[in-house]
Amino acid sequence: MPAVGVVRSYERAWLPKDVVAGLVLSALLVPQGMAYAELAGLPPVTGLYTSVLCLLGYAVFGPSRVLVLGPDSSLGPMIAATIAPLLLADGDPARAVALASMLAVMVGVVMVVAGVARFGFVADLLSKPTQIGYMNGLALTIVIGQLAKLFGFSVDADGLVAEARAFLSGLADGEANATAAVLGVGSLVGILLLNQLLPKLPSVLIVVVLAAVLVNGFDLESRDVDTVGVLPQGFPPFTVPAVSWGDLPPLFVGALAIAVVALADTMSTASAFAARKGDRVRGNQEMVGIGAANIAAGVFQGFPVSTSGSRTAVAEQAGSRSQVTGIVGAGMITMVLVFATSLMQYVPQPTLGAIVIAAALSLADMTGTRRLWHQRRTEFALSIVALLGVALLGVLPGILVAVGLSILNVFRRAWWPHQAELGRVEGIAGLHDTDSYPDAQLLRGLVVYRFDAPLIFANARMFSEKVREIAADDPGLRWIIVAAEPITDVDTTASDMLQDLDAWLNARGVSLVFAELKHPVREKIERYELTRTINPEHFHPTLDEAVAAYVRQTDASWRSPQPEADDGGSRR
């Protein structure tokens, strides 16, 4: 419970700054909480319940003094995608709340168990390119899904393509409400302009207040502009979510996906803000803190939450010094629920849609996408596939696609690693890739070969075929030195391959020699009894020593590569 340490080390001078930051934060959390609740397909008031409990839960169990948790735009579609198939035909709001609350509890339990078991590395399952693609796809999905609300009507469609088609059909059929559209588009433009021109001002709060004043002052409800209405007064009681046993398996699948996204988002945000202050990120404790926040929200009619980079930035800019900021924010939202629920009654639904769209646009990372295009096309392709997975298959399948692509990318690098033949370059120490330095000097009868990956079952055949190809291409070959520093492992499949390969090379008068093999890998070589086949003298601690041993044995000298002879003779 990191809160104990906060209490012991808390300085009185921090309190005014934490209170101010908490007040500023609550002004942002109220409208965003309601908007993200509707994004998840839930009543707006549940966003306020969620905000209060997650702030309190993280204040007690969360290790970071600056992170702010709450309803998040990236989780809203995932929550909706998980609970929508389980709802009855009439879409009972009470059942939706129960399902979302159980989902929050399950996410919390998964996170706490994973944190206690020290599974913080799970956040690495989403590589940066696939995370960029996933977020871009999510942003596109959210924007398309909110367009109808922005223009004052609703559509009955599921999926990006279907929702886009239904929105365009609604516009063509004249279903849009002109007044609502002006209010919604104006709210969106206002938020984006304020964020750009006056980033320190609470743009969402300003736009919400102005929109509510317009609705009330000009009686826009009479023009069919939907509003939030008066929220239920009071705070919800402690409630164990009531769902059927048949609901649990699909909820658990959704909980796992949400947990991965929430953890990846939290770790990236925590790392960014910790780097500014020179703090250390405690990944496993972060999982426990997020888990506790989700459980607390779930047992008070809330839904899953994550860290918000934008709200964390707001709290930091307002002077936040500790988790007390979150406690103050939770207290202010509670006061709204108990004493001032009528304040929300004139907030127009198109403005809530504008809030969600503005948040979705901040999820998109076009700069990162362009950087991938210029720096590494394969990773750009991965991000595009992840985007299409979310956009075309749906949010939950999309996260599975993103995780699967990240894992496959790791496997691909081990399966098809970079390989190189090395030579000496005048004026540069060491040996270097002959593809990069075609004029590198070589030793007759020797090939220095580097394999940049662990030697395992997936790439053992590739290694063997490449070495056999090298031997077949050079009739005068005597040694193949494997620059083995990048080889961090040798499994049993690769061990059997090396045994067969060495026997094949020996039959042709070629020695297989290893240089710079790491000690743990050398121990495995000896455990596999490979030294009965490969001469123990053919293991050298450095590449220079291995080359020197070959020179002593053959009196060979370095020479520039020669063009291939007309009779097919050796180039070395």
Side-chain angles (χ1 to χ4, degrees), residues 39-223:
L39 177 63
L42 300 166
V45 72
T46 59
L48 304 186
Y49 300 158
T50 301
S51 299
V52 172
L53 272 302
C54 74
L55 289 172
L56 295 177
Y58 189 81
V60 176
F61 291 96
S64 173
R65 292 176 180 262
V66 295
L67 288 187
V68 176
L69 268 65
D72 190 69
S73 58
S74 65
L75 298 189
M78 300 182 72
I79 298 168
T82 303
I83 67 174
L86 303 177
L87 291 175
L88 302 177
D90 59 355
D92 180 16
R95 176 166 167 77
V97 171
L99 290 169
S101 297
M102 178 56 75
L103 183 62
V105 171
M106 296 176 80
V107 170
V109 171
V110 168
M111 298 288 269
V112 170
V113 170
V116 172
R118 300 186 180 278
F119 283 177
F121 64 88
V122 173
D124 299 331
L125 290 177
L126 274 177
S127 67
K128 187 66 174 178
T130 52
Q131 191 172 359
I132 288 174
Y134 172 78
M135 288 300 179
N136 286 342
L138 197 60
L140 181 61
T141 300
I142 293 172
V143 170
I144 296 298
Q146 293 293 309
L147 285 176
K149 179 186 288 188
L150 194 72
F151 282 78
F153 67 101
S154 61
V155 297
D156 185 13
D158 186 25
L160 178 72
V161 176
E163 288 183 336
R165 186 182 295 116
F167 170 69
L168 293 176
S169 298
L171 285 183
D173 295 340
E175 296 181 20
N177 182 315
T179 303
V182 170
L183 197 59
V185 174
S187 298
L188 177 59
V189 172
I191 292 172
L192 296 179
L193 285 178
L194 285 173
N195 287 342
Q196 185 70 28
L197 302 177
L198 300 169
K200 292 187 177 182
L201 294 181
S203 60
V204 171
L205 178 63
I206 292 172
V207 168
V208 166
V209 171
L210 290 176
V213 169
L214 288 174
V215 169
N216 185 31
F218 293 94
D219 191 22
L220 297 185
E221 288 179 285
S222 64
R223 301 187 183 184

Side-chain angles (χ1 to χ4, degrees), residues 208-284:
V208 166
V209 171
L210 290 176
V213 169
L214 288 174
V215 169
N216 185 31
F218 293 94
D219 191 22
L220 297 185
E221 288 179 285
S222 64
R223 301 187 183 184
D224 297 326
V225 174
D226 291 334
T227 62
V228 171
V230 178
L231 298 176
Q233 189 173 24
F235 202 73
F238 177 89
T239 306
V240 177
V243 299
S244 66
W245 287 105
D247 295 329
L248 296 182
L251 286 176
F252 183 68
V253 172
L256 290 177
I258 290 171
V260 171
V261 172
L263 179 59
D265 189 23
T266 297
M267 294 305 293
S268 60
T269 303
S271 299
F273 282 92
R276 298 181 186 181
K277 298 179 177 295
D279 294 336
R280 179 174 60 92
V281 177
R282 298 162 58 187
N284 295 309

Side-chain angles (χ1 to χ4, degrees), residues 355-430:
I355 293 171
V356 172
I357 290 176
L361 294 177
S362 70
L363 291 177
D365 188 355
M366 302 312 298
T367 301
T369 303
R370 287 193 297 269
R371 181 169 55 84
L372 290 176
W373 170 259
H374 292 297
Q375 293 180 352
R376 190 158 184 165
R377 297 293 173 84
T378 55
E379 295 196 343
F380 171 80
L382 286 176
S383 72
I384 296 301
V385 173
L387 184 156
L388 293 176
V390 176
L392 301 180
L393 300 179
V395 177
L396 291 181
I399 185 63
L400 296 179
V401 168
V403 171
L405 286 174
S406 296
I407 295 173
L408 286 175
N409 193 32
V410 173
F411 189 68
R412 178 189 64 84
R413 293 177 182 178
W415 194 0
W416 300 317
H418 179 262
Q419 307 169 70
E421 294 183 36
L422 308 181
R424 190 174 73 170
V425 180
E426 289 292 340
I428 305 178

Side-chain angles (χ1 to χ4, degrees), residues 1-4 6 49-64 67-70 108 112 235 285-300 305 323-331:
M1 295 177 62
V4 175
V6 173
Y49 300 158
T50 301
S51 299
V52 172
L53 272 302
C54 74
L55 289 172
L56 295 177
Y58 189 81
V60 176
F61 291 96
S64 173
L67 288 187
V68 176
L69 268 65
V112 170
F235 202 73
Q285 184 63 46
E286 286 291 357
M287 295 181 78
V288 174
I290 303 169
N294 275 281
I295 293 173
V299 295
F300 284 91
V305 298
Q323 292 94 325
V324 172
T325 294
I327 295 175
V328 173

